[in-house]
Amino acid sequence: MRIVPLSLQFLLFLGLQIALSMGLVFYLNTLANTNYQTFQRASTGFVESSNTIESLRKAFAETSNQIEQLANEFVPGQRVDVRDQVLALQQLAAAIRNNIALGNVREYSGGKINQLAQRIDQQAQELIQAAAKTASASPMEVKSLQNHLRIERSRIMVEDFGALIDSANQNLENTMQMLRGSTASLSNQYQILLVLFIVLQIGLMITALWYFNYQIRQLADITDRLIDGDATAALPQQKRHDQIGRLARAVQHFRTTLITLSDSREQLKTILKKYDTETLSRRKAEKQLTLAASVFDNVQEAVLLTDITGHVTRANAAALELLHCSEKQLAAQPLLQFLLGKDFVVIEPLWNQVLEQGHWSGEVQFQAERFPPITALISIKLMGEAREGKGHVIFVLSDHTEIRAREAEMQFLAEQDPVTGLFNRHYFTAAGQKRISQTPDSPFGIVLLGIDNFRSVNDALGHRDGDRILKEIGKRLARLVGPQATLARIGGDEFAFYFMSESADQLETDTRRYTQQALTAIREPIVINEYQLQLKASASNSLYPMDGDTIEDLLKNNDIALSMAKSQGGDQLFTHSTQIQNRAQRRFKLQHALEKALGNRELRLAYQPQVSLTNGQITGFEVLMRWRHGGEWISPVEFIPLAEETDLIVRFTEYAFAEGCKHIREWQRQTNENYHLSVNLPPRLLLIDKIDERLVDIAKSAGLPLSLITLEITESSFGSDPGLMSAQLHRLAMQGFTIAIDDFGTGYSSLAYLSTLPISKIKIDKKFVDLISDNKESCKLINSILAMAQSLELDIVIEGVETQEQLIQLKKFDVRMDIQGFVFDPAHNEDYWDGLFMEGAPHTYEIPDLMLAKK
């Protein structure tokens, strides 16, 4: 290797590594291709078998339909020609026995193929016998023959062909199991080969590294000896013809030159030593002067020098910039008089202290003309001897203006709410605890207020307008409570205040009165961007020391009561109690469990039918959500409000919508009826951008026409102004959805919705139906609603009908409506309706006749 250049040696080593890598890649590729071809053959055989089974099944279904039509024509005493059908069955049996595409299935389960063929041959013989018996059979015997042929056809279609399909699938599963074993074996081979390849590469690299390092180390050792002064060391490898030989010869030349330079170095040392001695003292002096000048000019603090009388003799740039003046202006008067602006009678004692004690420091505030005030820390140091009139004084000014401004800002932020300008929770709790510690025997009341559904308002109008609403509410509450109470915004939409009553006996009464007045103030309409909003709020109150010994306990109790008030629909006042605390703990547990309900498959769907009062036929279904958690069915009245507080209601509704579309489409296919789907749409879903496109995509993927989908919106969803969601509802209606008002008649302004929103259907609330039997006013009201809806050409659904008497009374009004309630069926899961529609016939309910009802 001594005559081979070093670069060629490296190329030989690199070529060996490339050859090994290519061999490994070729071997792995061959193994992968073999496994792929085996998989391709298995999948092709399964596809051919499946297609053949399906074609044979369709051929048998067509022949069976012809046999069923022919069997329906059997007449006692008359012979029917069935030769064509018998021949078709025999040919189909022969095809099943001999079809090449079923070779794989025949090897695995030939008995099931022969059984299917025998069953088809047997049906052919039974058809011949049935045709022969018809000539002498009675009508009952003919009907029995027809039923027997129908049962045999269904058995072959379901059991025998199903068993054949299962065999084909099992054959594929066995093949896939074999391939998985082969793949696992192949993976083990890959790992073993890769480990061997890595070990081989490491061995090659170590060998090459040792070889090249051995040659270079010899030269490095000689070079180190030359550096250490050993110029007589022998230098090997100078006769090599590669780069290492050239390097050895260069080192040899360097050694010769080094010996020559060594003699000159001693002479140079003697000359430089003399020069260094002469210049050392001069350099030290210059360095000290330069350092002092640099520090004085470049230090960030303002530094000024004065004489013994206090007049400025020199000032750095930072001082001139801080004081906004020149050195000439500063020298016109003593510096302390310029900074403090005081009479000399005040300044003289301070200056005497500096001259006598040698130092003084303090924080002062001064203001240059036409500039904002400056707060600075002044440090004064005497240098020299003042009694002899010699020396100078150093002033150092540190600007604390920004520090004091930040402290003031932090103090403001620590106590004030930046949106409303009221106190924040930190100040509220600190002041309250201070009140308790200073006057522990003085009772007071705390009121906590929370705006209902304020997050929906924020989502609809934006946080900027939401802050305007909070600011307005803060002003109203401030006018109400006055300066005698401490008012604060302690949360996103929560306000609190506490106050002292004139007497302890009146404290509870005054607290309740203040709470009701605060709720009334919040309910007053607010106009934001041409929208008139009438907000609702929930409230809670507690008393010190009856409901808690600390301000934190009182707030905690109020938080629990406020949460319960909101969970009960809002617009309520709750006071602290043990029962409320227990309910709050249950609510907290359910809220956390609800987040996992969909993933744990605890959320169930139920479908309640809507029945036409005209003929008793099902016109559609309303999909309802049910939750089973920990073996307990949680009421929708309890868990739906929890879901509506977060985005969970959006996920639940989209899930119910997708599942409902899929099942309704399947029931339509089974019964050949156009059932419609009704889904409750929460207000939070209407605030999502492009929700109409998402719902359209879900319905189209299920194949359900949009005209058969009804989106139900409760009146309470709109608040006092339906304009917030009007645009979204119009987009949904233009897409083809039907928009309905749920619980009609229970909201704020039902007629206003009918004139401004794209409403096509109304659902009359259950509370009207409950009083229909013994309340004439309720009957009149329902009759008026029905008349109005018919004049506006609106579809009508009445929910909550439970008794036959209610059904008869509604039928007296009109029959052009749909009924939903227990009088027909409660809500059942999809399995119940799948079983009901299995036969392919629509279900019809019995409608009582008015004449029979009178009798």
Side-chain angles (χ1 to χ4, degrees), residues 79-130:
R79 191 177 186 88
V80 181
D81 186 4
V82 295
R83 288 176 294 178
D84 293 340
Q85 288 72 23
V86 171
L87 180 60
L89 289 175
Q90 292 174 348
Q91 290 176 348
L92 183 62
I96 291 174
R97 289 189 179 96
N98 302 319
N99 196 294
I100 299 176
L102 298 178
N104 293 334
V105 180
R106 189 175 291 109
E107 292 178 1
Y108 178 73
S109 56
K112 294 183 179 179
I113 293 178
N114 293 332
Q115 181 181 353
L116 175 60
Q118 290 174 4
R119 283 284 184 90
I120 295 175
D121 285 338
Q122 183 179 352
Q123 189 180 28
Q125 294 301 321
E126 291 176 352
L127 179 60
I128 295 173
Q129 295 173 4

Side-chain angles (χ1 to χ4, degrees), residues 445-449 477-485 497-502 506-522 539-541 573:
I446 289 185
V447 177
L448 181 63
L449 302 158
L477 295 177
R479 290 194 297 267
L480 171 67
V481 301
Q484 73 277 10
F497 61 89
Y498 53 79
F499 61 92
M500 300 280 291
S501 183
E502 294 182 358
Q506 292 294 324
L507 179 60
E508 184 174 356
T509 303
D510 292 343
T511 302
R512 181 174 290 274
R513 176 173 56 84
Y514 266 113
T515 306
Q516 294 293 350
Q517 291 177 356
L519 290 175
T520 302
I522 293 176
S540 64
N541 55 46
L573 167 61

Side-chain angles (χ1 to χ4, degrees), residues 184 579 603 656:
Q579 182 180 6
L603 197 68

Side-chain angles (χ1 to χ4, degrees), residues 642-657:
L642 295 179
E644 288 179 342
E645 294 179 4
T646 63
D647 290 334
L648 287 176
I649 192 63
V650 176
R651 293 167 47 196
F652 290 176
T653 304
E654 289 186 349
Y655 167 73
F657 185 81

Side-chain angles (χ1 to χ4, degrees), residues 319-470:
L320 300 178
E321 182 180 359
L322 177 65
L323 302 177
H324 302 289
C325 59
S326 63
E327 288 190 21
K328 184 177 180 181
Q329 293 173 328
L330 289 174
Q333 58 182 329
L335 182 58
L336 279 181
Q337 187 174 354
F338 177 85
L339 295 176
L340 301 180
K342 303 292 184 180
D343 190 3
F344 191 73
V345 177
V346 179
I347 298 174
E348 184 177 9
L350 192 153
W351 185 250
N352 291 333
Q353 178 182 344
V354 172
L355 297 179
E356 293 174 3
Q357 300 181 5
H359 62 84
W360 181 87
S361 64
E363 189 174 86
V364 299
Q365 187 177 38
F366 57 90
Q367 182 175 7
E369 187 177 357
R370 299 188 306 276
F371 290 97
I374 298 172
T375 301
L377 175 65
I378 302 178
S379 297
I380 306 176
K381 181 70 174 178
L382 174 64
M383 305 298 295
E385 186 59 46
R387 296 178 181 179
E388 299 177 359
K390 299 179 180 179
H392 57 274
V393 180
I394 301 176
F395 282 72
V396 179
L397 281 70
S398 299
D399 189 0
H400 285 192
T401 305
E402 185 176 354
I403 296 175
R404 296 295 175 255
R406 288 182 179 177
E407 289 178 352
E409 182 180 1
M410 291 175 64
Q411 182 70 19
F412 174 80
L413 294 177
E415 298 180 352
Q416 304 291 323
D417 173 46
V419 175
T420 62
L422 303 175
F423 292 119
N424 58 16
R425 187 184 186 98
H426 173 74
Y427 177 84
F428 187 82
T429 55
Q433 196 59 40
K434 182 178 179 182
R435 175 192 293 268
I436 293 175
S437 61
Q438 292 178 348
T439 57
D441 298 330
S442 299
F444 62 89
I446 289 185
V447 177
L448 181 63
L449 302 158
I451 304 173
D452 296 335
N453 297 322
F454 186 70
R455 183 173 179 180
S456 299
V457 177
N458 253 344
D459 293 340
L461 299 179
H463 290 277
R464 183 176 181 180
D465 290 334
D467 290 345
R468 291 173 57 190
I469 295 173
L470 294 174

